[in-house]
Amino acid sequence: MFILPKNVTIIEVGPRDGLQNEKKHVAEKDKLQFIRSLQEAGIHEMELTSFVSPKWVPQMADAKAIVEKSERVGRQFVLAPNAKGAELAQESNANSVAVFVGVSDSFNERNINRSTDESMDALDPVIAKLKNDGVFVRACISTAFYCPYEGKIKQEDVLELCRKFVSMGVDELSVADTIGMANPVESYELFSSLKKEFPTILITAHFHDTRKMAIANIFAALQAGVDRFDTSAGGLGGCPFAPGATGNVATEDVVNMLDSLGIITGIDVEKVCIAVDGISEHVSHPIETGMYRLYKNSNR
């Protein structure tokens, strides 16, 4: 018999992770409507935007306006890759900030031009200041299973990086299968180890659906005791530094699975599909997730 959590929290990453690499410019008003629609669906934790250089990520140039104009419903995250980003986030009155580091040096260097150790050294004072100012800090750990340049990642390397983040005082560890290569056994083993070693830290699983195994990996993580998952409405997203990686697992498909298992999320699948429908005309590729297709077919 499976032992599964009774409640699960979904952290919606579509507005940030889903749109940041979108080639087609998405207007501020359309992003805000997307966020509002997702909140109306019952989503209370969300990545809104990222305070990064508009030169490198032009889609996030409106970060300040997005934070200031979004309704504060639950915990709303902004991504801050460095001290400047964290400063801008705080100036916009963001009360939840996400930082990120890859376990793999190769991935990290291609992403932010620093080794993993160099990144951690730079983030130490940033996290200290955020925590001193009462900000909730989420640490996003990329390439926790496989790296597109180095191959399989050792579990102990993931645990060691998480230990460093925990020692810095972060509130949450979001651990990612960045290129979507993990299998359910690997998911269960890593998340079981994380839950055992960090019982007082929020542990979140982040899966990409490159090989269509994200749902299976989520089920395995549920069995390991994980009750927080990053998902993206419409399966939007991808990573420019991870060749071959496709979008995040779709919010509507994950919530549908959880509903079928009797696990409570507080999220309305149909309303998520309405949000997806609203953003679909503003992205450069068709959205073809399972539940969204059913929604479209039933509303013809």
Side-chain angles (χ1 to χ4, degrees):
M1 181 177 178
F2 298 119
I3 299 176
L4 302 174
K6 294 181 179 179
N7 297 274
V8 159
T9 298
I10 294 295
I11 300 89
E12 172 62 50
V13 302
R16 195 283 300 178
D17 197 1
L19 295 179
Q20 68 174 359
N21 299 311
E22 172 58 41
K23 295 177 182 178
K24 185 178 178 180
H25 174 68
V26 182
E28 176 189 310
K29 65 179 179 61
D30 297 318
K31 292 177 186 174
L32 289 170
Q33 180 56 49
F34 186 39
I35 290 166
R36 282 192 294 270
S37 296
L38 291 166
Q39 290 172 338
E40 289 169 2
I43 294 172
H44 295 150
E45 293 200 34
M46 193 182 311
E47 284 189 356
L48 295 179
T49 187
S50 179
F51 282 93
V52 292
S53 169
K55 176 182 177 181
W56 300 112
V57 190
Q59 194 70 257
M60 299 287 105
D62 54 6
K64 186 172 186 292
I66 293 295
V67 176
E68 292 178 346
K69 295 179 182 179
S70 294
E71 186 177 349
R72 301 301 173 95
V73 178
R75 190 175 289 135
Q76 307 296 312
F77 293 100
V78 297
L79 192 72
N82 49 38
K84 180 62 176 177
E87 180 183 340
L88 292 171
Q90 287 191 272
E91 287 176 1
S92 69
N93 293 319
N95 60 9
S96 301
V97 172
V99 298
F100 65 91
V101 172
V103 182
S104 153
D105 274 324
S106 300
F107 177 85
N108 217 59
E109 286 164 356
R110 285 169 172 79
N111 198 346
I112 52 177
N113 296 314
R114 285 177 172 167
S115 69
T116 299
D117 286 343
E118 289 170 342
S119 294
M120 294 299 286
D121 289 343
L123 283 175
D124 196 356
V126 174
I127 293 171
K129 183 179 186 306
L130 289 169
K131 291 308 303 172
N132 187 59
D133 293 340
V135 177
F136 182 100
V137 179
R138 161 181 168 97
C140 300
I141 292 94
S142 302
T143 58
F145 293 91
Y146 290 86
C147 167
Y149 313 105
E150 297 180 16
K152 187 171 174 58
I153 299 296
K154 295 178 182 177
Q155 181 173 295
E156 180 55 34
D157 291 344
V158 180
L159 293 172
E160 183 56 31
L161 182 60
C162 289
R163 290 182 194 114
K164 291 178 181 177
F165 268 126
V166 171
S167 71
M168 292 178 185
V170 303
D171 302 284
E172 177 186 11
L173 298 168
S174 173
V175 180
D177 177 23
T178 306
I179 59 174
M181 281 190 66
N183 65 50
V185 171
E186 292 167 331
S187 171
Y188 179 82
E189 289 177 346
L190 177 58
F191 283 106
S192 292
S193 296
L194 288 165
K195 292 291 289 185
K196 180 179 180 181
E197 182 155 353
F198 308 108
T200 62
I201 300 293
L202 293 175
I203 304 292
T204 301
H206 181 120
F207 289 105
H208 283 242
D209 209 20
T210 311
R211 290 162 179 79
K212 302 304 176 186
M213 292 227 287
I215 290 285
N217 285 327
I218 286 173
F219 187 73
L222 284 168
Q223 293 177 72
V226 176
D227 58 4
R228 293 173 62 82
F229 295 92
D230 290 345
T231 65
S232 177
L236 297 173
C239 180
F241 305 100
T246 56
N248 299 280
V249 64
T251 303
E252 58 272 24
D253 290 348
V254 174
V255 173
N256 176 65
M257 180 190 73
L258 296 172
D259 284 349
S260 74
L261 295 171
I263 297 173
I264 298 168
T265 64
I267 297 171
D268 186 313
V269 172
E270 183 173 359
K271 289 184 178 179
V272 173
C273 290
I274 291 171
V276 172
D277 204 41
I279 199 67
S280 63
E281 64 183 284
H282 304 294
V283 297
S284 56
H285 63 280
I287 295 175
E288 299 178 341
T289 65
M291 292 309 296
Y292 180 61
R293 285 201 307 272
L294 289 174
Y295 166 81
K296 291 292 285 185
N297 288 336
S298 66
N299 285 278
R300 283 181 174 175

